[in-house]
Amino acid sequence: MALPESKLIRGELILRDMQLTGEVKVTRNSLVRWLALALGFVSPNETRTAVIDALDALCYFQFKGTNPTVPELLEWMNSKGKKVGEKALRYHLWQLKKNGWLERSKGRYRFFMPPLADRQDVAASIEAVIRSRSEVSLAKIKEALKSLKQAYK
């Protein structure tokens, strides 16, 4: 009987070790795409850009110190010529929230912020999410290896 492996997965954390070249740093768009790739929000060579556009808008508002609503995000994206529908935006916001990257309060979104962090420090947010999720996974891996070691005795 096969294990229901997909039911065991509580979440995924994809981190890619990518070169941060000077050419990537030339434009905001290339930096946002690089970030989305590095954090596993998109796959290499993916042509869909809705999550990248959402990440771009979220970064804009976060660095300005504002927690945007969906209409504000859509208005900003439309002003930049990005064609993202409300349904697609809400889906990507939900996915980012479900995976711990975003918080939502009173219809406003922001990156998850650890206690005592500067509200505009997106790096601290990303680091906190990665540390939290990886520590939980590592603890379970250690437990599994301990059990596996016992199985070999």
Side-chain angles (χ1 to χ4, degrees):
M1 183 168 103
L3 290 173
E5 293 170 335
S6 63
K7 292 181 182 178
L8 299 175
I9 298 171
R10 297 183 68 183
E12 288 183 316
L13 180 61
I14 298 171
L15 291 178
R16 295 186 179 100
D17 181 9
M18 297 177 39
Q19 293 181 42
L20 183 57
T21 63
E23 129 183 316
V24 168
K25 295 179 183 180
V26 170
T27 68
R28 185 190 80 239
N29 286 339
S30 62
L31 280 166
V32 173
R33 181 167 179 80
W34 184 94
L35 184 61
L37 281 162
L39 294 172
F41 296 168
V42 294
S43 300
N45 302 317
E46 188 165 330
T47 57
R48 294 174 294 176
T49 62
V51 72
I52 296 170
D53 295 339
L55 180 61
D56 188 18
L58 289 163
C59 285
Y60 168 80
F61 283 103
Q62 191 80 36
F63 293 139
K64 295 286 186 187
T66 304
N67 300 335
T69 61
V70 168
E72 290 168 338
L73 288 164
L74 285 168
E75 182 181 338
W76 186 85
M77 288 187 286
N78 287 334
S79 75
K80 301 297 178 198
K82 299 174 186 288
K83 305 286 188 221
V84 178
E86 183 175 348
K87 186 175 179 180
L89 175 60
R90 286 185 185 278
Y91 171 79
H92 290 297
L93 293 172
W94 175 75
Q95 287 291 334
L96 292 169
K97 183 179 176 291
K98 181 180 88 166
N99 288 308
W101 299 105
L102 292 182
E103 297 175 320
R104 180 176 180 249
S105 177
K106 298 179 183 174
R108 297 188 167 275
Y109 291 88
R110 70 174 185 194
F111 287 98
F112 164 79
M113 283 297 152
L116 307 176
D118 173 4
R119 293 293 173 212
Q120 292 175 304
D121 191 350
V122 177
S125 168
I126 289 171
E127 182 178 357
V129 172
I130 290 169
R131 284 189 189 281
S132 171
R133 292 180 65 195
S134 63
E135 287 171 3
V136 169
S137 294
L138 282 172
K140 291 175 185 173
I141 290 167
K142 286 179 182 179
E143 182 181 341
L145 288 169
K146 185 177 178 183
S147 295
L148 184 59
K149 183 178 179 180
Q150 292 298 319
Y152 282 112
K153 289 187 177 182

